[in-house]
Amino acid sequence: MVIRRWAGLPVAALTAAASIFLFETSFVWQYRHHFWDANYILLEKKRERLTQAQKPDDIAILGSSRFYHLQPGAIADLVGNGARVSNYSWAYCGVEAYESMLRGLLTAGRAPRTILVDGCPEICSFPSRLLTARDSEEYRTRLAVTVPFRAGIQTAVGQNAWNVAWDLFAYHVTPPSTVYREKVKAGLTTLLKTRELPPLPPNYENFVGNWLEQGWFYFALPERVAGPEDFQMLENATGPPLLRDNASVAASYERFVQLADANNINIIMLAVPTNPRMYQGFQEQRVFEKYDGWLTDLERMHSNFVAPGPRWMVWPGLLGDAGHVNAAGAKKHMDFVLELLGRPAVRPYLK
């Protein structure tokens, strides 16, 4: 009797494991987009496209959500000759994302000729917890969704960021139902009661649908104009503008530039508008001065890198929130980007 009892345990355990596996694959994973935040779905789809077996892009747009509105078609028209341009920009998840995304492209055999990145004077001012996944659990989770797994691990190990490497690994071996437990339970309850899945998350059509269809979208509400309360809210989250060293963050970014240089890939850094409150603080604290010197040093060290001026600007009335342009700001910024890319001194970096 004892032998039979113990002999049955492996069968029961295997049956339970198989049931969990089937539940995860047939329900949770298949319908996970009904439980996710729309921005995470967007990041996953961008990661998938970045590693697809297809022709390399001539120009890959890598940067934070402040680049979501950049239109690949308009840039392709400027470059001409049927240029392939894709916007892979992400919701900011640490400076490590630049190197990780580039490694993902290289691993997939899809090295672009040119990468466009967004300017970031915040590197010389924000606390490091707002700049690197090493210091932010939220960024490490977002990074795991955004970057190709192998590329992310390579980057983390190369920078001795073992907590980042561990969190990337843990994310990919954790069952989705554990991560989204309450939403999965609610979704399963809805399905059993109504025989219908819960709707896709808010902003799905704007974030995911528009990006899949046209390659870009507005992150902030198109007609909204951000005001002083928005700028104060951001400052409350980041702290007052201060001049900081952040040498390890800058070094992480420099690794990205060096990796591109080693693979004959050009990088063009394009400025984004800073909100008026932060702009004033950066001027008073001489943040822009230090940032300008850092970019000039990068240009001197790496012939593949260029950061054409102006390297910062302020556009009152053209932000939809504290950090993202509204529709009018997107149009002005798009015109600004095309003007910069069309300059004789910059055009060689597109070839």
Side-chain angles (χ1 to χ4, degrees), residues 15 31 53 55 126 142 191 194 221 238 344:
T15 301
Y31 300 113
K55 279 183 167 183
F126 276 9
R142 203 181 293 171
L191 181 64
T194 67
L221 293 174
T238 64

Side-chain angles (χ1 to χ4, degrees), residues 15 24 30 34 64 90-91 119 130 157 159 175 196 217 247 262 269 277-278 287 318 348 351:
T15 301
E24 292 287 342
Q30 184 175 354
H34 292 265
S64 70
W90 57 79
L130 300 175
V157 171
Q159 297 188 25
E196 293 182 357
F217 62 94
M269 177 182 275
R277 187 180 183 91
M278 190 176 293
V287 170
L318 296 183
K351 299 178 180 178

Side-chain angles (χ1 to χ4, degrees), residues 30-320:
Q30 184 175 354
Y31 300 113
R32 66 194 183 283
H33 291 169
H34 292 265
F35 315 130
W36 277 21
D37 178 271
N39 208 13
Y40 274 50
I41 302 171
L42 173 71
L43 297 176
E44 180 193 70
K45 288 190 174 295
K46 288 193 173 188
R47 186 193 73 230
E48 290 172 353
R49 183 174 293 183
L50 182 140
T51 56
Q52 279 178 348
Q54 59 182 1
K55 279 183 167 183
D57 295 299
D58 296 295
I59 300 173
I61 301 171
L62 302 184
S64 70
S65 57
R66 296 183 295 190
F67 262 14
Y68 277 161
H69 66 276
L70 286 195
Q71 302 174 26
I75 296 172
D77 289 343
L78 173 74
V79 175
N81 299 319
R84 293 173 56 90
V85 183
S86 294
N87 188 336
Y88 300 109
S89 54
W90 57 79
Y92 193 78
C93 50
V95 72
E96 297 88 351
Y98 292 95
E99 180 182 341
S100 297
M101 295 289 270
L102 175 52
R103 287 192 180 278
L105 286 166
L106 294 173
T107 300
R110 301 189 57 235
R113 294 186 306 181
T114 301
I115 292 174
L116 305 184
V117 295
D118 54 334
C120 191
E122 293 85 355
I123 282 180
C124 300
S125 177
F126 276 9
S128 64
R129 64 182 172 80
L130 300 175
L131 297 167
T132 169
R134 289 172 182 254
D135 299 338
S136 170
E137 183 179 357
E138 177 187 355
Y139 284 1
R140 291 195 293 276
T141 299
R142 203 181 293 171
L143 188 72
V145 179
T146 304
V147 305
F149 175 69
R150 177 181 168 188
I153 293 292
Q154 285 179 317
T155 300
V157 171
Q159 297 188 25
N160 292 317
W162 298 102
N163 65 329
V164 177
W166 172 254
D167 279 9
L168 291 177
F169 173 77
Y171 177 86
H172 285 279
V173 299
T174 301
S177 61
T178 303
V179 180
Y180 304 102
R181 181 179 305 167
E182 296 306 316
K183 290 185 177 181
V184 170
K185 285 168 60 179
L188 183 58
T189 300
T190 298
L191 181 64
L192 293 174
K193 285 183 177 180
T194 67
R195 297 188 179 180
E196 293 182 357
L197 285 166
L200 289 165
N203 265 332
Y204 180 89
E205 284 305 318
N206 180 42
F207 285 13
V208 182
N210 283 339
W211 179 75
L212 290 173
E213 182 178 344
Q214 61 191 20
W216 66 277
F217 62 94
Y218 297 121
F219 182 73
L221 293 174
E223 305 305 321
R224 187 175 188 274
V225 176
E229 67 282 359
D230 297 284
F231 310 143
Q232 181 62 60
M233 188 181 302
L234 178 62
E235 185 173 309
N236 291 343
T238 64
L242 295 173
L243 184 63
R244 301 177 192 270
D245 184 41
N246 286 333
S248 63
V249 178
S252 178
Y253 195 96
E254 289 158 14
R255 282 174 54 95
F256 156 66
V257 177
Q258 186 174 7
L259 178 64
D261 198 358
N263 287 275
N264 300 311
I265 299 169
N266 291 323
I267 297 175
I268 304 175
M269 177 182 275
L270 303 168
V272 294
T274 302
N275 78 61
R277 187 180 183 91
M278 190 176 293
Y279 187 90
Q280 180 180 354
F282 282 178
Q283 282 188 315
E284 292 172 352
Q285 295 294 317
R286 303 179 72 177
V287 170
F288 288 134
E289 183 178 325
K290 181 173 182 179
Y291 177 63
D292 191 47
W294 176 60
L295 293 182
T296 300
D297 286 343
L298 268 179
E299 288 182 327
R300 188 179 299 117
M301 290 186 295
H302 299 283
S303 60
N304 69 314
F305 178 85
V306 63
R311 290 173 169 175
W312 55 84
M313 75 279 279
V314 60
W315 292 345
L318 296 183
L319 295 177

